[in-house]
Amino acid sequence: MSENAAAAAPAHTANTATTAGTAATAPAPAGAAGGGSRPVRGATRERALAALEAARRRTLALTDCLDEAELTAQHSKLMSPLAWDLAHVGNQEDIWLLREAGTGSGVRPDLDDVYDAFQTPRADRPALPMLSPDAARAYIADVRARVLEVLAGAPPEGADERLFEGDFVFGMVAQHEQQHDETMLATHQLRRGPAVLDAPDPPAPTSRARDERHGEVLVPAGPFTMGTSDEPWALDNERPAHTVDVAAFHLDVVPVTNGAYQRFIDDGGYRDPRWWHPEGWEYVQRAELGAPLFWRRDEDADGMWVRRRFGYTERVPPGEPVMHVSWYEADAYARWAGRRLPTEAEWEKAARHDPETGESRRYPWGDADPDEGLANLGQRHLRPAPAGAYAAGAAPCGARQLIGDVWEWTSSDFTAYPGFAAFPYREYSEVFFGDGYKVLRGGSFGTAEVACRGTFRNWDLPLRRQIFAGFRTARDADAADETDLTGDAADGNSR
């Protein structure tokens, strides 16, 4: 996503909220069902508290492992100092949960300008009068203690009731902090120095999934419900639910792997302008790109590809989804392979549409919340799972790993849905609409469960590579493909 909106990360791949900004006049966030057949899900205060606490545990884990010098340093001009992110999440909580949703004036209104993401670009934030890491920890703890009082009470008189429908405002703030956590995780990947993070490896695919060709699945033509009007914590750009008619298409069963991408490199993909968008070709030449970010040839090991991952150097695993590629690189690979990137609507139909019921699911596997057997989310692992993992999380069409592992670039620009209304402030999404940003879908291993669902939309500039982004490819179907929707295509097996 863009660095300045309230959601995701990192894309943040990730967006970062600013102040309340210009008041919006959107309908209630949990609005009446508008295309979704499920009843409104009642988010409880217990769920809100759990989401806020989970985000804070992760924030502290990502910052307590480093000393003050590391926290205040800028490890890349693409990213803020970690100490800035640490206080920024508290400042947003101060603004939204104490001043907007509470009765008080907040803890530190004087910090608003320092931690306003729109006011100061990331590259310039080291010069700001930031709080020290210890002061930032004290500040966010003070804010959270007062937020617990707000959580325990009723909405104050005169508060915007829409913020409290389905406890939306608490969910929004929890998502915002988790999105910054993913951004901070990306900063950890960019920093140089010894490893400070650790996690177990993700599960391997079943033996059958490991041995078979992954291939593609056919998604039949027809309408489906895109977006949502009844997910309580969905953000404004996911709304409202609306019907989209999608032509039949084929989609990769799994994201493109490192091994497949290496064949593109070996075939001279980075040296052939035929495959590149003109702006992408100029970028490749100017930046002298020849592989995904963090890859290099190890000349001491016969030129084997290795990568740096959170302080470790390791061989590039051929069966893992490729990651840290820009939209331009994803688009070039797809052209080289005789395919294309899926549109955002195609991606969502493949992930959510249930042809048996005609309804759109919350997730590929159904309406149940994600768990560790369904998707690689929440920084549970510090890498994508091998392609073909998480069979239980497959979509009805047979595609796997549509949620988690890597954000997936689509061919679509970030634009508003029909009937869009900004809420609770226009700077979250509306200011980014247009042809400058490309949409990513599905979340990564670093995306929290609370900030990822089948309707969630991330966006970022097409040249960004520091985000945990990969892709899968698609192609148009022809008339013969739809004459028989039984067999391989219906079962999601290789064709």
Side-chain angles (χ1 to χ4, degrees):
M1 313 165 171
S2 147
E3 68 152 358
N4 293 321
H12 174 290
T13 249
N15 304 330
T16 53
T18 61
T19 62
T22 306
T25 56
S37 61
R38 296 182 303 278
V40 172
R41 292 169 52 86
T44 65
R45 288 294 167 93
E46 288 76 16
R47 181 192 178 208
L49 177 60
L52 289 167
E53 288 179 338
R56 185 54 46 84
R57 286 193 298 271
R58 187 179 178 196
T59 298
L60 295 177
L62 286 165
T63 51
D64 288 351
C65 58
L66 295 171
D67 61 23
E68 181 169 347
E70 290 260 42
L71 292 173
T72 56
Q74 186 169 47
H75 299 282
S76 166
K77 289 189 176 181
L78 294 173
M79 314 302 281
S80 307
L82 290 165
W84 187 93
D85 287 289
L86 176 63
H88 171 78
V89 298
N91 180 249
Q92 292 305 290
E93 195 166 313
D94 192 344
I95 291 169
W96 285 103
L97 299 188
L98 297 184
R99 292 181 240 168
E100 294 293 324
T103 58
S105 59
V107 175
R108 293 287 303 271
D110 59 300
L111 294 176
D112 290 357
D113 287 345
V114 176
Y115 295 104
D116 185 332
F118 277 89
Q119 187 163 310
T120 308
R122 287 179 176 177
D124 299 334
R125 289 174 192 167
L128 291 170
M130 295 184 294
L131 295 176
S132 71
D134 284 344
R137 293 184 184 102
Y139 168 54
I140 66 175
D142 190 2
V143 171
R144 177 57 58 85
R146 302 188 193 198
V147 164
L148 296 180
E149 299 176 7
V150 176
L151 270 166
E157 184 177 352
D160 187 340
E161 294 181 358
R162 297 170 300 165
L163 291 173
F164 292 89
E165 294 197 21
D167 289 331
F168 171 79
V169 69
F170 302 107
M172 180 188 76
V173 169
Q175 289 179 81
H176 169 264
E177 183 161 348
Q178 287 280 15
Q179 290 151 4
H180 270 273
D181 290 339
E182 184 168 359
T183 299
M184 289 193 282
L185 185 64
T187 302
H188 270 271
Q189 169 63 12
L190 286 160
R191 66 174 280 273
R192 297 283 183 173
V196 295
L197 301 176
D198 194 19
D201 285 339
T206 63
S207 57
R208 178 177 180 273
R210 193 165 52 241
D211 294 339
E212 70 182 4
R213 289 190 311 116
H214 293 298
E216 60 182 15
V217 292
L218 172 64
V219 181
F224 86 106
T225 299
M226 186 173 183
T228 182
S229 295
D230 60 9
E231 183 74 31
W233 290 0
L235 304 169
D236 61 3
N237 62 68
E238 300 172 63
R239 301 174 181 273
H242 57 290
T243 300
V244 178
D245 201 350
V246 177
F249 66 99
H250 294 276
L251 184 71
D252 289 339
V253 173
V254 298
V256 170
T257 64
N258 289 320
Y261 197 84
Q262 186 175 331
R263 290 192 287 274
F264 167 68
I265 298 173
D266 292 343
D267 195 45
Y270 280 88
R271 302 188 301 273
D272 193 335
R274 288 181 298 166
W275 314 127
W276 295 85
H277 184 287
E279 293 176 4
W281 180 242
E282 188 277 330
Y283 168 57
V284 165
Q285 293 180 299
R286 172 169 43 86
E288 299 182 341
L289 303 185
L293 185 61
F294 307 116
W295 285 31
R296 65 174 176 83
R297 294 277 195 185
D298 185 350
E299 300 305 329
D300 294 331
D302 298 324
M304 177 179 66
W305 283 109
V306 296
R307 69 180 181 185
R308 179 166 57 86
R309 183 178 63 84
F310 297 111
Y312 297 99
T313 298
E314 61 188 14
R315 180 182 180 182
V316 172
E320 203 172 276
V322 69
M323 185 171 60
H324 295 304
V325 290
S326 67
W327 181 89
Y328 291 127
E329 289 166 292
D331 179 64
Y333 173 95
R335 293 172 188 271
W336 169 82
R339 298 170 69 82
R340 58 177 175 80
L341 296 179
T343 67
E344 182 181 14
E346 287 174 334
W347 188 98
E348 186 169 328
K349 183 175 183 181
R352 299 184 63 213
H353 181 63
D354 184 344
E356 290 190 6
T357 65
E359 296 182 357
S360 290
R361 301 173 168 189
R362 296 180 69 218
Y363 299 98
W365 54 84
D367 291 348
D369 290 336
D371 64 34
E372 59 185 292
L374 296 171
N376 183 7
L377 291 166
Q379 202 181 312
R380 190 178 293 113
H381 311 290
L382 286 172
R383 63 194 309 154
Y390 298 103
C397 68
R400 295 188 182 186
Q401 294 168 280
L402 286 159
I403 296 292
D405 288 305
V406 291
W407 288 103
E408 297 185 16
W409 289 108
T410 72
S411 64
S412 298
D413 297 330
F414 184 51
T415 58
Y417 288 162
F420 167 86
F423 184 84
Y425 58 101
R426 291 186 170 88
E427 292 86 352
Y428 177 67
S429 302
E430 190 172 25
V431 298
F432 299 100
F433 291 150
D435 60 4
Y437 295 90
K438 293 295 184 181
V439 174
L440 303 101
R441 288 303 207 104
S444 77
F445 67 89
T447 307
E449 290 87 343
V450 72
C452 189
R453 49 198 161 263
T455 58
F456 191 89
R457 308 173 74 197
N458 192 359
W459 67 95
D460 213 330
L461 298 170
L463 52 71
R464 287 288 184 250
R465 307 208 302 163
Q466 85 277 15
I467 58 180
F468 303 117
F471 63 100
R472 70 182 74 208
T473 67
R475 67 179 176 92
D476 297 342
D478 56 36
D481 292 321
E482 293 204 86
T483 57
D484 182 4
L485 294 182
T486 61
D488 286 347
D491 293 338
N493 297 323
S494 300
R495 289 176 62 81

